[in-house]
Amino acid sequence: EVQLVESGGGLVQPGGSLRLSCAASGLSVSSNYMNWVRLAPGKGLEWVSIIYDSGSTYYADSVKGRFTISRDNSKNTLYLQMNSLRVEDTAVYHCARDTSAFASWHFDLWGRGTLVTVSS
Amino acid sequence: DIQMTQSPSSLSASVGDRVTITCRASQSISGALNWYQNKPGKAPKLLIYAASNLHSGVPSRFSGSGSGTDFTLTISGLQPEDFATYYCQQSHSRYTFGQGTKLDI
């Protein structure tokens, strides 16, 4: 079965760090474009970061300089290292695969997410 | 950055109803518009990609239309499992989601 399973969420104080993992099965994280997307309480979905098959990475302005996306090809796992966490980073974090058809990129496979709570 | 504005933000309907959700982009995005369904505790689901293409396995009661800046998602004949929050997403320049439309009874 093709699936993505996130882990690593939890409660962290402002200014702290956390590393999220997204374990993939039935697909290769190294040959796909992979994203992190978050859903904050009472808000809408927000794209956070992408890593291309080439290894290039991009970030939303809200997390640039604080978050780092990476992958371990041997473990077929995607990561999100989150530093200098803020209260406004509280959200459920989903990983998602990017794919293209009809000249449109879209996220066709998502994980169920892991909850990150930033609070003192 | 491209901003996406969805309306309405919430919608009450009944089983069997036909509902329409609209999404407007702050600039032309051609047909690079996708629709997702999200339920609490579940993985979001892709419904429609490239404005009007039904994703594999999605019931045909879901349909999408539009191009440029104005797009719509229509659900014809609401089923109990359709009560959820719906998001549009532009993929013309990076990714931006609309603020969501909560569909409830």
Side-chain angles (χ1 to χ4, degrees):
Chain A
E1 182 186 6
V2 181
Q3 65 175 355
L4 300 170
V5 179
E6 302 91 340
S7 61
L11 175 63
V12 61
Q13 292 188 338
S17 298
L18 211 55
R19 189 179 80 157
L20 306 184
S21 299
C22 170
S25 53
L27 73 150
S28 167
V29 296
S30 64
S31 56
N32 282 278
Y33 295 4
M34 300 296 298
N35 297 267
W36 287 98
V37 178
R38 66 186 181 183
L39 180 62
K43 297 196 173 181
L45 291 169
E46 180 187 17
W47 173 77
V48 173
S49 182
I50 185 171
I51 183 166
Y52 292 105
D53 55 352
S54 65
S56 297
T57 59
Y58 293 90
Y59 301 90
D61 288 343
S62 58
V63 307
K64 200 174 296 182
R66 301 187 298 122
F67 289 12
T68 303
I69 190 172
S70 64
R71 66 189 181 212
D72 184 329
N73 298 341
S74 66
K75 295 182 178 179
N76 206 24
T77 298
L78 178 74
Y79 300 102
L80 186 68
Q81 177 67 43
M82 303 186 297
N83 299 330
S84 303
L85 281 161
R86 305 167 181 167
V87 171
E88 55 266 33
D89 295 319
T90 295
V92 175
Y93 285 74
H94 299 273
C95 57
R97 178 179 67 180
D98 215 330
T99 193
S100 175
F102 295 97
S104 173
W105 289 92
H106 45 275
F107 301 167
D108 69 331
L109 179 67
W110 297 67
R112 295 181 67 160
T114 186
L115 176 62
V116 173
T117 303
V118 185
S119 174
S120 54
Chain B
D1 290 2
I2 299 175
Q3 308 301 317
M4 306 301 294
T5 304
Q6 258 181 263
S7 61
S9 56
S10 64
L11 180 58
S12 293
S14 301
V15 172
D17 284 354
R18 180 176 185 267
V19 299
T20 298
I21 299 168
T22 64
C23 185
R24 174 164 289 178
S26 59
Q27 65 187 73
S28 177
I29 58 172
S30 187
L33 192 284
N34 311 308
W35 291 97
Y36 300 88
Q37 179 193 68
N38 192 29
K39 295 181 180 180
K42 299 246 178 130
K45 285 186 177 180
L46 174 67
L47 301 173
I48 302 285
Y49 64 93
S52 60
N53 295 274
L54 196 66
H55 182 55
S56 175
V58 175
S60 59
R61 62 181 180 273
F62 292 91
S63 63
S65 65
S67 66
T69 60
D70 294 311
F71 301 86
T72 61
L73 171 70
T74 300
I75 312 172
S76 301
L78 274 173
Q79 297 300 303
E81 61 268 28
D82 298 337
F83 292 96
T85 301
Y86 293 85
Y87 294 93
C88 62
Q89 176 207 35
Q90 68 82 17
S91 57
H92 180 75
S93 174
R94 289 286 177 265
Y95 303 108
T96 315
F97 291 90
Q99 76 274 26
T101 295
K102 185 176 181 182
L103 175 58
D104 56 23
I105 300 174

